[in-house]
Amino acid sequence: MTFAKQLLFIILLFAASQTFAQGQYHLNLELTGAKDSTKLLLVNLDEGRVIDSGYLVNGRLSLKGGVSGVVTARLHAPDHQYLVVYLENKAVSITGDYADLQYARISGTENNRYWVESRNWQRSFSQARDSLMQTAFRLDAADSVKFKTILARVDSIDRDVRNYRLHFIRQKNPVYFTLMELFYLRNNLSADSLRSLFKFFPAKLQATAPGQVIAQYLANAPVTVGMPLIDVSGRDPEGKQIHLSALKGYTLLEFWASWCGPCRQEMPELAATYNRYKSRGFEILAFSLDGNKESWITAIRQDHLPWLNISDLKGSYSSVAAAYRVRGIPQNFLIGPDGRIVAINLRGKALAEKLSMLLDK
């Protein structure tokens, strides 16, 4: 190889290494009080999967990898310690006490700086709320007056924290973290308030997954009994596209996920109702808010779900859930043969009772 070619090769190799380095997140941890060989898992919360892991040695750990855009992630320790961090292809430094990992210092990006500022302000409120809820759970069933007093204090804390988070969104530069705050608070705002805050975010942020959900919220009116169905679709585990509008008779659009305990606890009751009325034109279209296909399919098999199961595997950023303004799961919508919403959120035996009124004639 000639000198010129060698020089060109070195230049290209250096350029490639620089490009590769710039295309990685780099987490540097320095934690006091940690045992050697403590394993930490880095979980992509948007996808619900482990994307990296490593062992602490002398309290230190370095993790590297690539992500697309900004990703909400969580470092998990074996003793239920954890830390939320915003990943992007930049260097981030994490320092603190392992025993207080949840509130470790995070520096290196504007998203994490904002997150830490907001998180630390809310700490005392979160601790007070947790203490109140623990007291409420220990109360005797007859002590209703004290229970109501505690719930009123919890509501007051929630209101203060919500107002702080909204103020934070208004006062800070529009970044991914503040967009996520708006995403989480979207159900607590009127359409006008949500629209006025959303418009301050640049187009690039509005085009992200949480931004698209907010836009979907603003595009659709709240779902109410009597209104026509909003046609949505998804793919079943085999990849077949299924549309809600293609189903006839009474159809229950059920929103759930494999990671949702209350959702899965209701499946036996739902299965009993389904088996009773499926021969009379009743169908269930279960839309999963999973981001991990394997977890979704495993749950279908474990719970023996015989109805139509679909998803877009976008997790909390599903446009289908946004179209129906799903606040939390489980949530469902019963649709009649005429394509209109008959009832909303029929839980437990309420679904069977409603179908009995409609079909047992």
Side-chain angles (χ1 to χ4, degrees):
M1 183 182 292
T2 66
F3 175 76
K5 288 183 177 179
Q6 287 179 333
L7 181 60
L8 178 61
F9 176 77
I10 292 171
I11 292 172
L12 291 173
L13 184 63
F14 176 78
S17 66
Q18 289 297 102
T19 300
F20 181 70
Q22 291 171 2
Q24 287 188 316
Y25 63 79
H26 190 173
L27 298 185
N28 289 303
L29 288 85
E30 292 188 26
L31 302 172
T32 59
K35 293 181 180 179
D36 272 356
S37 299
T38 296
K39 186 177 183 179
L40 298 183
L41 303 178
L42 183 62
V43 178
N44 181 326
L45 294 179
D46 296 337
E47 299 178 358
R49 65 182 182 90
V50 176
I51 59 172
D52 208 344
S53 65
Y55 296 89
L56 288 168
V57 178
N58 295 325
R60 296 172 180 267
L61 173 63
S62 179
L63 298 174
K64 296 180 181 180
V67 291
S68 178
V70 185
V71 171
T72 310
R74 184 184 290 162
L75 280 164
H76 282 272
D79 52 359
H80 306 296
Q81 293 271 20
Y82 70 91
L83 173 70
V84 173
V85 59
Y86 283 83
L87 289 182
E88 46 195 303
N89 291 325
K90 297 179 180 179
V92 169
S93 174
I94 298 171
T95 58
D97 187 347
Y98 176 81
D100 196 27
L101 180 60
Q102 184 179 355
Y103 290 95
R105 294 178 294 278
I106 311 172
S107 60
T109 67
E110 192 171 29
N111 281 298
N112 282 301
R113 178 163 59 84
Y114 282 174
W115 155 233
V116 168
E117 181 182 345
S118 179
R119 178 201 69 184
N120 290 351
W121 184 91
Q122 296 179 53
R123 183 173 188 172
S124 62
F125 290 86
S126 297
Q127 292 171 338
R129 190 186 196 281
D130 289 345
S131 178
L132 287 168
M133 292 305 296
Q134 290 172 11
T135 300
F137 290 141
R138 291 193 297 265
L139 289 177
D140 185 88
D143 205 345
S144 60
V145 174
K146 190 171 183 179
F147 185 78
K148 290 179 180 178
T149 300
I150 289 175
L151 289 187
R153 291 173 64 188
V154 168
D155 287 342
S156 177
I157 289 173
D158 289 345
R159 186 167 52 253
D160 288 342
V161 170
R162 184 168 59 249
N163 289 338
Y164 168 81
R165 293 169 71 185
L166 288 171
H167 179 75
F168 197 95
I169 294 169
R170 295 187 185 100
Q171 295 300 312
K172 301 297 183 180
N173 293 331
V175 297
Y176 188 82
F177 169 70
T178 54
L179 178 71
M180 285 299 298
E181 286 289 87
L182 188 61
F183 170 80
Y184 292 132
L185 295 170
R186 66 192 185 279
N187 289 308
N188 302 108
L189 298 170
S190 67
D192 287 342
S193 295
L194 182 60
R195 186 176 290 105
S196 68
L197 289 172
F198 188 53
K199 72 179 182 180
F200 289 111
F201 289 88
K204 185 176 180 180
L205 283 172
Q206 291 188 3
T208 61
Q212 290 178 41
V213 170
I214 295 172
Q216 183 78 52
Y217 258 63
L218 293 171
N220 291 339
V223 178
T224 57
V225 172
M227 71 177 286
L229 66 82
I230 301 168
D231 193 22
V232 294
S233 67
R235 295 190 182 277
D236 70 9
E238 287 71 44
K240 179 183 177 182
Q241 191 86 15
I242 299 175
H243 290 264
L244 174 62
S245 59
L247 305 178
K248 308 304 177 184
Y250 286 97
T251 300
L252 186 74
L253 177 60
E254 176 80 16
F255 288 96
W256 73 293
S258 65
W259 44 262
C260 171
C263 301
R264 299 185 67 174
Q265 289 171 11
E266 289 208 2
M267 291 308 176
E269 182 84 42
L270 194 57
T273 302
Y274 178 71
N275 290 330
R276 179 178 177 181
Y277 289 103
K278 65 179 180 180
S279 63
R280 300 166 68 179
F282 174 60
E283 186 55 85
I284 296 175
L285 184 64
F287 190 93
S288 170
L289 296 185
D290 276 284
N292 185 293
K293 185 175 182 179
E294 184 178 349
S295 299
W296 171 46
I297 293 175
T298 298
I300 292 172
R301 291 172 179 166
Q302 288 178 342
D303 295 353
H304 307 289
L305 308 183
W307 42 74
L308 298 172
N309 291 286
I310 62 172
S311 180
D312 58 11
L313 296 177
K314 294 182 178 179
S316 300
Y317 304 134
S318 169
S319 60
V320 173
Y324 277 84
R325 291 200 172 190
V326 174
R327 295 185 61 128
I329 51 175
Q331 190 168 350
N332 61 39
F333 302 84
L334 182 62
I335 299 161
D338 61 354
R340 293 186 175 274
I341 307 295
V342 174
I344 297 174
N345 217 24
L346 296 170
R347 306 258 57 95
K349 297 187 181 299
L351 174 62
E353 292 170 356
K354 185 67 175 180
L355 290 174
S356 178
M357 293 171 53
L358 296 169
L359 297 174
D360 290 341
K361 297 179 181 178

